[in-house]
Amino acid sequence: MAAPVLAIFLALSTICLVDALNGGFSVDLIHRDSIKSPFYNPLETTSDRVTKALRRSFDRVNHFKRNSVTTKAAEADIIVNQGEYLMNISLGTPGFDVVAIADTGSDLIWTQCNPCSHCFKQEAPFFDPTKSSTYRKLSCTATQCDSLQGSSCSSANTCQYSVSYGDESFSNGDLAADTLTLASTSGRLVAVPNMVIGCGHNNDGTFNEKTSGIIGLGGGKVSLISQLGASIAGKFSYCLLPISETGISSKMNFGSNAVVSGPGVVSTPLVRKSPDTFY
């Protein structure tokens, strides 16, 4: 079963990935009902938020019952249809803010892009790859194209991706590489060049208007975690606070910061399984 989705909000200054990872780095995780979330409704009480969270959980269980044969699709559907956390990253040069649903049960990082032949409604502007000096489409011979399930080759010899989910949500577009920027709780930005992303030109499904795509944190080759790879020694961890803690951010830690330790600390390990996307 996919773990809860996560949220990261950007800070101000940028440093290179190597410098940031010397001591590891941490980012904020924002619950969808947090005061820092675009979903936040100040008129709701804590009881209202808990009731809605329970209702979402029941909806997920019912979805599993309807889709018990297609386990992989059902896991992905939890994230697309009922995501609890948002992630705000920056793509391109200059950076363009993207708010997307993040998921430890899927791999590809993708967002809606211009020109869009068919897109679901979102409040924020679409990412325009022509305005990024570091954006480049990947060729059909790229190893990332070959390793991505559902990829195909265009007439221009560029790699096309296609992903779908159990609730019939989907995204299709160009597989590309660009600079991706993450925030750290130190107040500095961590810029990572040549990250594999999906630039979606044909997307639809049960996405909320506050979101624009998916951030994959799974174990597959094109996930955020796998692409950070050796630079974080494959380590990441997160701690999620109770729903009632609406004004306080949870944390996600990378590299040496991801080691869980201290008096009375209890953790649950993520164990790799097959297929490698899932923990």
Side-chain angles (χ1 to χ4, degrees):
M1 180 175 178
V5 290
L6 317 172
I8 298 177
F9 282 77
L10 295 179
L12 296 177
S13 59
T14 303
I15 57 175
C16 73
L17 182 62
V18 174
D19 290 340
L21 296 176
N22 284 338
F25 68 100
S26 302
V27 297
D28 287 336
L29 306 182
I30 310 300
H31 191 275
R32 64 172 288 156
D33 292 326
S34 166
I35 195 171
K36 298 181 180 180
S37 167
F39 289 110
Y40 180 70
N41 182 353
L43 300 179
E44 290 182 343
T45 65
T46 299
S47 177
D48 292 334
R49 296 182 184 111
V50 171
T51 299
K52 287 186 175 182
L54 288 172
R55 187 178 296 118
R56 289 192 295 266
S57 294
F58 293 146
D59 288 342
R60 292 170 191 156
V61 171
N62 290 333
H63 182 84
F64 275 126
K65 289 178 180 178
R66 293 194 301 269
N67 298 279
S68 58
V69 177
T70 56
T71 304
K72 180 177 179 181
E75 288 180 347
D77 178 58
I78 289 177
I79 302 308
V80 173
N81 193 30
Q82 301 290 348
E84 292 291 345
Y85 289 82
L86 299 178
M87 181 175 186
N88 189 335
I89 62 174
S90 178
L91 289 178
T93 306
F96 180 88
D97 285 359
V98 172
V99 179
I101 302 168
D103 177 26
T104 55
S106 65
D107 295 323
L108 185 63
I109 305 164
W110 66 267
T111 188
Q112 299 199 109
C113 288
N114 281 327
C116 205
S117 60
H118 179 79
C119 282
F120 57 86
K121 185 177 180 180
Q122 69 177 59
E123 292 183 355
F126 295 154
F127 175 62
D128 187 346
T130 65
K131 294 182 178 180
S132 172
S133 62
T134 49
Y135 177 90
R136 61 183 177 87
K137 295 180 181 179
L138 295 180
S139 71
C140 299
T141 57
T143 56
Q144 299 93 334
C145 183
D146 184 59
S147 64
L148 183 65
Q149 185 177 4
S151 65
S152 61
C153 193
S154 72
S155 57
N157 196 39
T158 59
C159 186
Q160 305 289 292
Y161 77 89
S162 178
V163 292
S164 60
Y165 303 90
D167 63 349
E168 299 184 354
S169 297
F170 62 85
S171 176
N172 304 292
D174 298 311
L175 196 67
D178 206 342
T179 297
L180 183 149
T181 304
L182 295 170
S184 69
T185 54
S186 67
R188 301 176 298 177
L189 299 184
V190 181
V192 190
N194 297 314
M195 292 287 284
V196 176
I197 63 168
C199 199
H201 301 293
N202 180 15
N203 326 288
D204 206 355
T206 55
F207 297 97
N208 189 282
E209 294 178 9
K210 301 289 185 181
T211 65
S212 63
I214 297 287
I215 306 296
L217 299 167
K221 293 182 180 179
V222 297
S223 76
L224 175 62
I225 302 303
S226 295
Q227 291 192 73
L228 291 176
S231 63
I232 59 170
K235 296 178 181 179
F236 78 103
S237 64
Y238 57 90
C239 177
L240 304 179
L241 295 174
I243 296 174
S244 58
E245 302 288 345
T246 55
I248 305 175
S249 299
S250 300
K251 305 293 179 186
M252 183 173 187
N253 307 298
F254 297 88
S256 58
N257 278 21
V259 177
V260 180
S261 62
V265 168
V266 177
S267 65
T268 300
L270 297 179
V271 180
R272 289 190 177 275
K273 58 184 292 186
S274 181
D276 56 7
T277 294
F278 304 111
Y279 302 105

